[in-house]
């Protein structure tokens, strides 16, 4: 997500509850992923968790982009 998209998302958080939910989830997943990546060794369970988090983050980002696209269409 680039800085422009992030700024747009932040500006809509108060008016778009669905977007806020995905953004908060994305932020939490990003933090957990950073925690895992700071470890020098991951257990098998942690490796699975890392892959799962990556997939969840991507799916959440896709949903946020869909919401932004809808908003842009409505504004046009």
């Amino acid at each position: 997500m680039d800085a422009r998209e992030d700024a747009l998302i932040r500006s809509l958080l108060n008016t778009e509850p669905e977007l806020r939910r995905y953004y908060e989830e994305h932020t939490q997943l990003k933090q957990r992923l950073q925690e895992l990546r700071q470890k020098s060794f991951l257990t098998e369970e942690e490796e699975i968790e890392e892959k799962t988090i990556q997939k969840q983050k991507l799916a959440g980002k896709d949903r946020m982009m869909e919401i932004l696209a809808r908003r842009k269409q409505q504004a046009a």
Side-chain angles (χ1 to χ4, degrees), residues 20-75:
R20 181 179 337 145
R21 182 172 62 90
Y22 290 126
Y23 185 79
E24 289 172 355
E25 178 182 282
H26 184 81
T27 302
Q28 291 172 353
L29 292 171
K30 183 177 178 180
Q31 182 179 19
R32 178 61 182 145
L33 195 55
Q34 287 174 343
E35 290 171 5
L36 289 171
R37 289 182 174 164
Q38 288 178 351
K39 292 185 170 191
S40 57
F41 175 79
L42 295 178
T43 65
E44 187 174 328
E45 291 82 16
E46 289 170 331
E47 288 178 5
I48 293 169
E49 181 183 5
E50 180 182 38
K51 297 290 183 198
T52 302
I53 289 172
Q54 290 171 336
K55 291 176 184 177
Q56 289 173 329
K57 274 185 63 194
L58 184 57
K61 182 179 177 184
D62 288 344
R63 287 184 227 123
M64 286 189 286
M65 294 300 113
E66 288 171 8
I67 294 168
L68 289 182
R70 278 197 316 252
R71 285 292 295 225
K72 287 178 183 177
Q73 281 184 334
Q74 292 171 352

